[in-house]
Amino acid sequence: MYQDFAHAYLTEVGTAAGRMLTRGHDAVDLLNRAAVGGARIRAFGNGGSSAIVRSALLQLQAHTGRPVSDSMMSPAAMAYTAQRDTYPEVFARSLAADIHGLDLVVVASVSGRSANIRKALNLCREHDVPVLALVGGDGTQVEPARGMVWATGTTDQQISEDAMLTALTLAAATALGPATAPLPARVDQHLHAVADVDTVRLGAFLAEATTAVADAIRTRRPIYVLCPDGGPLALAGEHYAHNLHWDAPLGVEDVQPPVVVSDPSLADMSAIYNDHPDPAHGVVYQLRSAAPGDVVFLLTYDAASRTTQEAIRAAAAADVRLFLVYRNGPAQPHSERLQLPQTDDFAFAALVQSVAHLVCRTTRAALSTGSAPGSSPADLMAQDLAPLRELSNINRSS
């Protein structure tokens, strides 16, 4: 069942991403036109969508040094300002401050109807700022005056998010300049990578991960989601942790939110690098608090790197249930292993995000039923985790 579900889910992701990328050149043109103006780009999203837009802009900044900004507020600033104003007002104000100097605003929203996203879109319309809007469904719920509505063609939240990250990542990579690979080649390579995921191994990984996570949530054991490499993979890890902490137990009767430990905050990370320049120190330090039976997801590009090896040794010493998701390197002991196909760093993060969504769905189903995660792959495919189901409900009733 896990294998069939993984195959069905990834097939849908590939179909949605391929459908979006038929308009990929339009998105690349928008990003390129912004680059001519100095790449003053801002980006917004809620929940997992915030990690998606930040990942794409990280790619632009990392490879070009362009002064892009994701505009997402820090948790401290958001909580502080929300004491006095509503979240949509705070959100819009963070855009209004420099809207006259912007060349492009990127928004990602599966429903396209979130109040803060609508305020941001209205502000862009008033000031004639181009918008690249990634939304679920057919896209008719969003009407930017300038720019492009890039619809996923599906109302499923997780499949939409995976298609969004894939499409935006490939468009951003193509917009880096003439020296990069053309979009059709990138699309073909990535869709082949999605198709090449070993769903037999992925199914076995899902079975073990679902049991471990569901047990940890029921027994209040900590779950760790760690990415010592940083970069776009850490943003996929942030999304992974969000799925396990927020989405998996949301609304399930008699199930409390789990304890999820994820990558260090800015306060922690700046202290780590100031006091201990070794990049491995942070993840090893975090794993010192782990105890036998805790669940650890370790996300890494290279399983043989020194940083990853130190993390694996720390996890083995703590006797945790280690789940390793990696791209390169030999098989590692003391872990449930999932090696994904060869892609670049950003495209690899998109594959990891799909794995996170798979684990989230099977875990939610297991928590809901109290035992097995569903009677068939079709049951799991129907587990759309959109908390409000705004777009799905409207489309189904129309």
Side-chain angles (χ1 to χ4, degrees), residues 24-149:
H25 288 293
D26 295 335
V28 172
D29 287 344
L30 266 178
L31 291 165
N32 277 330
R33 284 201 294 272
V36 171
R40 289 165 295 183
I41 302 172
R42 304 289 290 277
F44 299 93
N46 298 321
S49 296
S50 70
I52 289 170
V53 294
R54 282 181 287 136
S55 182
L57 294 194
L58 174 63
Q59 175 158 234
L60 289 174
Q61 192 163 31
H63 290 287
T64 68
R66 296 168 182 168
V68 300
S69 170
D70 62 32
S71 294
M72 303 302 296
M73 302 179 70
S74 72
M78 189 177 293
Y80 183 70
T81 53
Q83 306 302 314
R84 300 182 301 279
D85 300 302
T86 66
Y87 177 53
E89 289 171 344
V90 171
F91 202 91
R93 193 181 305 132
S94 67
L95 172 62
D98 61 353
I99 194 164
H100 295 289
L102 295 182
D103 300 286
L104 181 66
V105 168
V106 180
V107 298
S109 172
V110 175
S111 74
R113 292 186 169 90
S114 301
N116 58 322
I117 296 296
R118 287 168 98 59
K119 277 186 174 290
L121 291 173
N122 288 337
L123 194 59
C124 291
R125 192 176 297 112
E126 291 169 7
H127 294 274
D128 199 32
V129 175
V131 173
L132 176 57
L134 293 91
V135 298
D138 62 7
T140 55
Q141 70 275 35
V142 174
E143 299 177 4
R146 288 181 60 197
M148 170 185 174
V149 177

Side-chain angles (χ1 to χ4, degrees), residues 186-232:
R186 290 182 179 278
V187 172
D188 186 64
Q189 180 184 38
H190 187 76
L191 294 183
H192 273 94
V194 174
D196 286 344
V197 173
D198 187 335
T199 52
V200 174
R201 291 186 179 180
L202 177 53
F205 181 90
L206 278 178
E208 293 295 329
T210 301
T211 299
V213 172
D215 287 348
I217 292 175
R218 292 190 189 104
T219 59
R220 309 296 296 156
R221 299 204 68 85
I223 302 167
Y224 294 75
V225 181
L226 304 175
C227 177
D229 296 327

